[in-house]
């Protein structure tokens, strides 16, 4: 039994799919199957039932629980020895989405540089699904992800929620019907915004679905200036004064005033995304990572 076999079994237990694990771990499917059978023979118990779909046995569940701990201990040992080898010239890899990186990381990087001038900092800017897999695979010291997460696998430290606001360029404010204060006090505030051009995310995205629901409640058919795939693009269109949009407050507020954009808190927007600093349970957390996590949790 070796650590590579442990990795095979743990990942197979998570996916219950031989071909997927074989592709992820760069091994042929027959070779993967052979490794699993070899380990089962060595242990004298079946870890998986070869049913369709594949199922894990009680012995397999127990084995996977212990295997995860052994792999984490191995990772802890290797990273600790790397720290001895590198001295003060350590490294830190943070998984984060591109738009959160834009507003969260400059201050954190500045603080890290002041404390650890020689620290090598890498930002792995990925989508949320890729962040979760990367964290599971040990690619990051920690990641910034939305809650909820699987608390049997991850440990999360909540940050300030990403509350959504209506961002309107000041040049477009005359298009809002009635006093601007009404957009804050009205239970159907978007009804005053029927004449505004909007930039919205593509229809399959969660924030777009929320935007469509709010417009339906307000009884308006929004005038779409543009549909975009990224929140960063939507924000830039707003900052250029071309259209209004529903955006996370933390993502827009620093630039809003200097770019003459007014932010409105809509009373009907109860939705907010809850970001958190997330690590794998039991993983090694370096001094650098702990300091970075503290900076991020205190920054907002």
């Amino acid at each position: 039994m070796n650590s590579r076999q442990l990795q095979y079994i743990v990942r197979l237990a998570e996916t219950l799919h031989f071909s997927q694990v074989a592709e992820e771990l760069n091994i042929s499917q027959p070779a993967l199957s052979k490794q699993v059978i070899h380990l089962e023979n060595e242990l004298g118990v079946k870890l998986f039932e070869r049913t369709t779909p594949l199922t894990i046995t009680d012995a397999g569940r127990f084995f996977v629980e212990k295997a995860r701990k052994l792999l984490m201990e191995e990772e802890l040992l290797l990273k600790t020895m790397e720290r001895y080898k590198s001295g003060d010239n350590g490294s830190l890899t943070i998984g984060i989405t591109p738009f959160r990186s834009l507003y969260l990381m400059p201050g954190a990087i500045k603080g890290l540089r002041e404390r650890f001038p020689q620290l090598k900092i890498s930002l792995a800017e990925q989508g949320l699904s890729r962040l979760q897999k990367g964290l599971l695979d040990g690619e990051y010291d920690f990641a910034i992800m939305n809650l909820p997460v699987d608390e049997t696998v991850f440990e999360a430290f909540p940050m300030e929620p990403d509350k959504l606001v209506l961002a309107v360029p000041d040049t477009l404010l005359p298009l809002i019907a009635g006093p601007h204060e009404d957009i804050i006090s009205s239970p159907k505030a978007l009804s005053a915004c029927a004449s505004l051009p909007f930039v919205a995310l593509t229809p399959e995205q969660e924030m777009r679905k929320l935007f469509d629901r709010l417009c339906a409640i307000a009884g308006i058919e929004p005038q779409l200036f543009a549909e975009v795939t990224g929140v960063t693009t939507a924000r830039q269109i707003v900052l250029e004064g071309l259209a209004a949009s529903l955006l996370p407050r933390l993502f827009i507020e620093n630039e809003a005033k200097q770019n003459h954009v007014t932010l409105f808190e809509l009373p009907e927007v109860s939705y907010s995304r809850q970001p958190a600093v997330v690590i794998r349970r039991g993983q090694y957390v370096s001094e650098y990572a702990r300091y970075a996590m503290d900076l991020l949790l205190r920054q907002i």
Side-chain angles (χ1 to χ4, degrees):
M1 182 170 60
N2 55 53
S3 61
R4 192 64 176 167
Q5 289 174 320
L6 298 184
Q7 291 173 5
Y8 294 155
I9 298 300
V10 168
R11 191 67 188 125
L12 191 57
E14 292 167 347
T15 65
L16 297 176
H17 205 294
F18 271 96
S19 60
Q20 180 180 337
V21 174
E23 183 178 353
E24 288 177 1
L25 300 181
N26 196 28
I27 183 175
S28 70
Q29 189 169 334
L32 174 61
S33 181
K34 185 177 180 180
Q35 288 286 337
V36 174
I37 292 171
H38 178 78
L39 184 56
E40 288 178 325
N41 290 338
E42 181 181 341
L43 296 171
V45 295
K46 271 193 172 184
L47 302 177
F48 299 95
E49 294 289 353
R50 271 61 167 185
T51 54
T52 303
L54 186 71
T55 57
I56 187 169
T57 65
D58 289 341
R61 278 188 282 271
F62 178 80
F63 182 86
V64 167
E65 179 185 350
K66 300 302 180 183
R68 280 198 179 104
K69 292 179 180 179
L70 286 172
L71 289 170
M72 288 179 182
E73 286 295 324
E74 180 184 41
E75 180 185 3
L76 171 60
L77 176 60
L78 292 175
K79 288 192 173 182
T80 303
M81 299 315 296
E82 181 65 27
R83 177 85 187 277
Y84 278 111
K85 181 176 75 175
S86 62
D88 291 333
N89 298 320
S91 63
L92 178 68
T93 302
I94 300 170
I96 190 168
T97 57
F99 93 87
R100 281 211 177 105
S101 179
L102 192 63
Y103 68 85
L104 285 178
M105 295 315 302
I109 290 174
K110 180 181 179 183
L112 283 164
R113 285 277 181 239
E114 290 172 353
R115 177 74 175 270
F116 307 107
Q118 303 302 316
L119 179 64
K120 179 183 177 182
I121 303 169
S122 298
L123 300 180
E125 297 182 331
Q126 305 282 354
L128 290 174
S129 60
R130 182 65 185 83
L131 287 179
Q132 180 166 304
K133 183 180 182 303
L135 193 58
L136 274 172
D137 292 345
E139 296 177 16
Y140 319 130
D141 289 273
F142 64 85
I144 308 295
M145 298 193 300
N146 288 335
L147 295 181
V149 296
D150 185 348
E151 295 186 2
T152 65
V153 179
F154 298 116
E155 186 174 2
F157 305 90
M159 304 171 69
E160 182 175 326
D162 282 341
K163 295 182 179 178
L164 298 180
V165 295
L166 180 64
V168 183
D170 290 352
T171 54
L172 300 180
L173 289 177
L175 297 178
I176 297 176
H180 299 159
E181 297 77 29
D182 288 352
I183 202 169
I184 298 176
S185 60
S186 169
K188 295 183 179 179
L190 278 176
S191 61
C193 301
S195 298
L196 279 177
F198 285 97
V199 54
L201 300 185
T202 49
E204 72 277 4
Q205 299 193 58
E206 188 177 8
M207 284 174 58
R208 171 60 182 275
K209 292 175 182 177
L210 171 66
F211 175 70
D212 289 344
R213 288 199 302 271
L214 293 175
C215 289
I217 292 171
I220 67 168
E221 185 72 29
Q223 298 185 32
L224 291 184
F225 173 83
E227 285 186 346
V228 298
T229 57
V231 182
T232 302
T233 304
R235 183 188 73 157
Q236 193 58 41
I237 289 174
V238 172
L239 294 178
E240 293 291 338
L242 301 175
S245 189
L246 199 65
L247 294 170
R249 173 179 283 280
L250 293 175
F251 191 48
I252 185 72
E253 65 179 351
N254 288 339
E255 292 82 5
K257 187 174 183 180
Q258 65 192 56
N259 287 276
H260 307 290
V261 173
T262 298
L263 305 181
F264 298 102
E265 292 188 3
L266 301 179
E268 62 266 45
V269 178
S270 58
Y271 165 86
S272 67
R273 292 179 299 178
Q274 176 62 68
V277 175
V278 182
I279 61 172
R280 279 188 312 170
R281 285 199 174 275
Q283 80 171 68
Y284 169 71
V285 181
S286 69
E287 179 185 1
Y288 313 121
R290 289 191 184 280
Y291 190 73
M293 289 165 62
D294 184 57
L295 287 174
L296 288 165
L297 292 168
R298 289 191 287 109
Q299 182 181 137
I300 304 304

